[in-house]
Amino acid sequence: MTVDAGNLWFASENNLFASLNSPTLQKNIPEHLRGAKNDWFGLSMRARTIVYNPKKVKGDEILSYENLSQAKWQGKLLLRTSKKVYNQSLIAVKIQENGEAQTEAMVKGWVKNLAQPVYSSDTKLLEAMAKGAGDLGIVNTYYLGRLQAKNPDFPLKVYWPNQNSSGTHVNISGAGILKTSKNKVEAQKFLEWLSQPAAQKLFAELNMEFPVMASVALHPLVKAWGSFKPSKTSLEFAGKNQKKAIMLMQRAGYK
Ligand code: FE
């Protein structure tokens, strides 16, 4: 079990996973949130979206990840390091959605607009933004959720970008069963159990992510961020385009 389709794809690519013939998992987990060989499955969904300081920015000015490369955001953007798989997966999926040239132009624009050097973690980025280090940035929402759970007055807001185009970037926490497992039958039962509504609710509430099963209720704090259209681009591409994404970010000067 791990986070990020990029990691699961890598394990699959290295033939670590057994192929899993489970009608239950195939029914409960949407196709774009699992591996093409049915050897890894997303169990909850995380959104990597734009968070902003409402004292500095009007939400409806933000529009899209691509729009953050415009000169109007110069000296306002905060980003986490490109070394983190979350950003590698975001860019890998963007390459799939927009092509390499357009994605490189976007990342170059982001780098030009940075308010601060890149952060080592989403939490540090959010804490810095709350103190005025920048106006908006790209993070996974559960990090904001944890800060809001500790402090209901935490002064930042969630924006859902790309609602009129590709949708907001989502990734997964998920799992596969190792070929070397001595308990494949039990492991499959466990994953099937995690994909059922009752477990989906517990799982998503505890990690403040989104259930992969759309009908399952959200954590109240997560629900308060409003509904959004997620990207339906297959997360296979988070892995397939990972190398291209890393090279592209290096060319664009994204540290
Ligand atoms: Fe994380």
Side-chain angles (χ1 to χ4, degrees):
M1 298 187 81
T2 187
V3 295
D4 209 285
N7 290 329
L8 289 158
W9 180 89
F10 193 73
S12 170
E13 196 61 9
N14 285 283
N15 285 316
L16 297 180
F17 288 143
S19 179
L20 241 164
N21 182 14
S22 166
T24 304
L25 289 173
Q26 286 179 38
K27 178 169 72 78
N28 290 346
I29 297 165
E31 204 175 345
H32 65 287
L33 302 178
R34 48 181 151 97
K37 291 186 276 179
N38 281 318
D39 58 349
W40 55 265
F41 294 84
L43 296 166
S44 81
M45 207 166 69
R46 52 234 331 263
R48 191 155 189 79
T49 193
I50 299 170
V51 167
Y52 67 101
N53 183 339
K55 283 190 195 133
K56 306 265 186 73
V57 173
K58 285 193 212 105
D60 54 15
E61 293 177 283
I62 298 172
L63 304 174
S64 66
Y65 302 99
E66 291 79 2
N67 189 44
L68 296 184
S69 66
Q70 299 300 312
K72 72 175 283 193
W73 303 112
Q74 204 159 10
K76 297 182 174 175
L77 182 64
L78 301 178
L79 292 175
R80 182 177 187 166
T81 169
S82 66
K83 313 260 177 326
K84 184 69 188 180
V85 69
Y86 301 168
N87 285 329
Q88 295 167 1
S89 289
L90 167 64
I91 298 307
V93 169
K94 279 290 165 199
I95 290 172
Q96 194 56 34
E97 291 172 350
N98 295 339
E100 239 180 307
Q102 206 186 312
T103 305
E104 188 164 340
M106 175 184 78
V107 176
K108 278 185 178 155
W110 289 359
V111 172
K112 264 192 197 158
N113 289 342
L114 283 177
Q116 308 291 339
V118 296
Y119 289 87
S120 60
S121 83
D122 286 11
T123 301
K124 282 183 186 154
L125 186 161
L126 289 165
E127 285 170 343
M129 197 195 303
K131 288 182 189 145
D135 296 356
L136 73 181
I138 300 173
V139 293
N140 285 359
T141 51
Y142 55 84
Y143 290 112
L144 179 67
R146 290 175 198 168
L147 291 167
Q148 287 181 334
K150 267 191 263 170
N151 172 14
D153 298 323
F154 195 75
L156 307 180
K157 285 184 113 168
V158 170
Y159 182 76
W160 302 119
N162 297 65
Q163 295 302 283
N164 298 318
S165 54
S166 50
T168 298
H169 175 68
V170 290
N171 209 308
I172 50 164
S173 302
I177 299 176
L178 293 173
K179 270 185 181 164
T180 51
S181 167
K182 293 189 181 95
N183 304 299
K184 286 197 185 74
V185 174
E186 293 81 359
Q188 180 168 335
K189 278 187 188 159
F190 177 56
L191 296 187
E192 287 170 348
W193 181 80
L194 281 172
S195 78
Q196 314 278 334
Q200 279 283 297
K201 185 165 185 290
L202 289 173
F203 194 2
E205 267 189 8
L206 285 168
N207 63 13
M208 299 184 90
E209 296 186 351
F210 299 86
V212 289
M213 196 176 260
S215 57
V216 172
L218 301 172
H219 185 293
L221 240 164
V222 174
K223 198 179 172 191
W225 298 330
S227 58
F228 67 102
K229 179 178 96 171
S231 165
K232 294 274 169 75
T233 304
S234 170
L235 285 176
E236 273 281 307
F237 293 110
K240 273 189 189 158
N241 292 342
Q242 191 181 69
K243 230 182 229 169
K244 273 188 196 165
I246 292 169
M247 281 157 57
L248 184 154
M249 291 191 287
Q250 269 177 15
R251 286 198 301 275
Y254 181 6
K255 298 246 165 70

